[in-house]
Amino acid sequence: MPELPVFSQENVFAAIAPGEAIERVREGFVEYAAGQWEMPPKIYLEAEPHGDFRAMPAKGGGLAILKWVTSFPGNPSAGLPVVMGMICVSSATDGKPLALVDVRSVTALRTGAVAALAAQELAREDASSVGIVGCGLHGAWAARCLAAAEYGPGVCFDPHPEAAGQLAGELGWEAGSREDALACDVVTCVTPGAEPVVLESDLRPGLHLNMLGADGPGKAEAEVAAVANAELFCDEWQQASHGGELTGAVEAGVVAEADVRQLGDVMTGAAPGRSSPDSVTLFDSTGLAIQDLAICLALLGAHRSGAVHTTTVRL
Amino acid sequence: MPELPVFSQENVFAAIAPGEAIERVREGFVEYAAGQWEMPPKIYLEAEPHGDFRAMPAKGGGLAILKWVTSFPGNPSAGLPVVMGMICVSSATDGKPLALVDVRSVTALRTGAVAALAAQELAREDASSVGIVGCGLHGAWAARCLAAAEYGPGVCFDPHPEAAGQLAGELGWEAGSREDALACDVVTCVTPGAEPVVLESDLRPGLHLNMLGADGPGKAEAEVAAVANAELFCDEWQQASHGGELTGAVEAGVVAEADVRQLGDVMTGAAPGRSSPDSVTLFDSTGLAIQDLAICLALLGAHRSGAVHTTTVRL
């Protein structure tokens, strides 16, 4: 077997700036919406009571990837990350392994990127201020990507004030209350989804909500009534209706597939976006393997051009 | 991230002898049959016209693994293997990545091991001679594992006589015709499954057949009439009925689930084995992620005890 490049977290963040991540992930959504990229449903492997593993394949742009990633919510109390694993990258033409990639950095970049993309597609034309609810790893990368897309300044809220203060300081934004964050134009929630942080009473004309935290059954960041009263968008209907922010409203019978548009279809013009400046729009991000694939394509391109140097591994 | 051991092909073959592979894979079948190990269905990602990728997760013995493996049948004409990829091994307790493992060596060992296990469970008590039909990588490892389980000597047949001669020479067996191989007690077929190598007229009392080659829709190594006239066993019913040797007979309506027993159930006593010394038994191996998991458990044990030294990778 040939030597494979191994992209560490440092390699990924050095090679792909937030602005490039946004553009590459946009290409991924467009290619997938156009039927050029493929993505079988992810497999869950339960590891109760600790968490679960997910196997997420995707194919496109000459590559086939397999993301093997955990969600172990209790891990931080033991000093371990919630998200661990790796991404195997192969040639779709001959099956040859091409690279091994750190999963946390790619997940953070592609999750942050979709927050910026959804704002570009769905927020009011004149939207600028950003509210971040939940300033962990993914909240921070959503804020960085929104800033790279020229949104902001914003308000960062977290139950741990030091996390909010650190992120606000990095971006020149402010730390504030949940209510301060919800008063902004583009509100991005990245919490564990254990209890609602967006209430029906928080909705006001022109608001755009990115809901990034709910990524499995039983998790939700908004009250069902808040979801039911917004114009609804998601990354992919099957995932969003079964393990995303929309799931509770679907199960309650107040939201059906016809009420929800997919982001890639809005990008290609196959579906409309926000209906008026005064609408409330809500985007449910569950996280797609095509987003990871888009970042991996960018990484291999950067490696080929000599822009990033990695260690290697021989199997 | 900590450094992960990387088990190369050389490491795998040095650490796990065929006899140990057989015993470890046996444990895997028993644990799975007893409900202790889990294995969600594998996902196929098509890469037409070249081949396909498979994502195969499994959990047990404190580990969770994900096998990412190709089948690109035309690859040898370009000097590349049919089977490529890697196995990611993680802790099922905290999700931490623990190892990266070469996929070809593990696949060869676990596929060979099941040929020996099926013979031990299903062949006549006095069976000894072995016929190998197809002397490629997996045929060779099946022969080595059968020899390690004290079957043999045998007859090796391959359309490429040099492959048959080389394997026969290694084991002190003989090269011969398809008919010579089919006249043995334990016949193991490992061909691409493009055309039948076992005809109804080949069946005779007391024969045991291991069918290892058919691993996807449209592939078969035996005539449907041969399958229909044997006592049938498989590794796992869902896989065998949808993408294994049994699939053609199931689709023709001549074999149903009640006609087929799973190897693990025979091992635990939950299902009977061969009904009489004069029966013909046929075992359909489609390849299970629990077999790979069993080998990975053995590898990590060998590594912990210092019996194998590997390179490492840091993500």
Side-chain angles (χ1 to χ4, degrees), chain A residues 3-166:
Chain A
E3 301 259 340
L4 303 184
V6 177
F7 294 89
S8 67
Q9 172 164 311
E10 294 71 26
N11 293 145
V12 172
F13 287 139
I16 314 292
E20 184 179 1
I22 294 166
E23 287 318 304
R24 300 307 290 256
V25 173
R26 174 182 288 276
E27 287 168 27
F29 272 98
V30 169
E31 294 286 345
Y32 179 65
Q36 296 299 305
W37 287 17
E38 287 171 49
M39 181 176 58
K42 62 174 103 168
I43 317 179
Y44 284 82
L45 181 64
E46 296 297 330
E48 290 166 347
H50 312 292
D52 64 63
F53 293 84
R54 296 141 195 212
M56 301 168 64
K59 192 185 74 167
L63 300 184
I65 69 157
L66 191 283
K67 180 179 187 177
W68 173 238
V69 60
T70 61
S71 177
F72 276 64
N75 266 4
S77 66
L80 287 171
V82 172
V83 170
M84 289 189 283
M86 55 191 94
I87 302 174
C88 310
V89 182
S90 303
S91 159
T93 309
D94 61 18
K96 204 186 300 175
L98 296 178
L100 197 66
V101 184
D102 169 62
V103 84
R104 298 188 71 219
S105 51
V106 172
T107 303
L109 267 182
R110 59 82 140 159
T111 302
V114 84
L117 287 168
Q120 289 172 335
E121 293 296 321
L122 301 172
R124 284 168 62 122
E125 288 285 336
D126 60 354
S128 66
S129 62
V130 173
I132 301 289
V133 178
C135 299
L137 178 69
H138 291 160
W141 280 97
R144 289 173 193 133
C145 289
L146 284 158
E150 302 190 349
Y151 290 94
V155 176
C156 300
F157 165 72
D158 196 281
H160 301 287
E162 66 281 18
Q166 192 174 342

Side-chain angles (χ1 to χ4, degrees), chain B residues 49-144:
Chain B
H50 311 292
D52 64 64
F53 294 83
R54 296 142 197 212
M56 302 168 62
K59 192 185 75 169
L63 300 184
I65 69 157
L66 192 281
K67 181 179 186 176
W68 173 237
V69 60
T70 60
S71 177
F72 277 64
N75 266 4
S77 68
L80 287 172
V82 173
V83 169
M84 289 188 282
M86 55 190 94
I87 302 174
C88 310
V89 182
S90 303
S91 160
T93 309
D94 60 20
K96 207 187 298 176
L98 296 178
L100 198 67
V101 184
D102 170 63
V103 84
R104 297 188 71 218
S105 51
V106 172
T107 303
L109 267 183
R110 61 82 142 159
T111 302
V114 84
L117 287 169
Q120 290 173 335
E121 294 296 319
L122 302 172
R124 284 168 61 121
E125 287 285 335
D126 60 353
S128 65
S129 64
V130 173
I132 302 288
V133 178
C135 300
L137 177 69
H138 291 160
W141 280 98
R144 289 174 193 132

Side-chain angles (χ1 to χ4, degrees), chain A residues 173-266:
Chain A
W173 296 1
E174 290 182 7
S177 66
R178 186 195 73 89
E179 289 71 18
D180 295 333
L182 262 295
C184 296
D185 299 334
V186 174
V187 174
T188 296
C189 300
V190 199
T191 73
E195 56 190 312
V197 291
V198 175
L199 311 180
E200 186 183 11
S201 56
D202 291 318
L203 304 191
R204 52 193 166 67
L207 177 65
H208 173 70
L209 291 161
N210 284 322
M211 310 305 283
L212 274 60
D215 65 348
K219 300 184 187 179
E221 297 183 286
E223 289 184 337
V224 167
V227 172
N229 283 307
E231 291 183 2
L232 298 176
F233 302 85
C234 68
D235 49 9
E236 202 274 324
W237 167 251
Q238 287 302 325
Q239 286 193 192
S241 58
H242 285 88
E245 186 59 44
L246 303 183
T247 306
V250 170
E251 288 176 351
V254 296
V255 167
E257 185 168 3
D259 303 321
V260 181
R261 301 162 202 154
Q262 296 188 145
L263 183 63
D265 295 330
V266 175

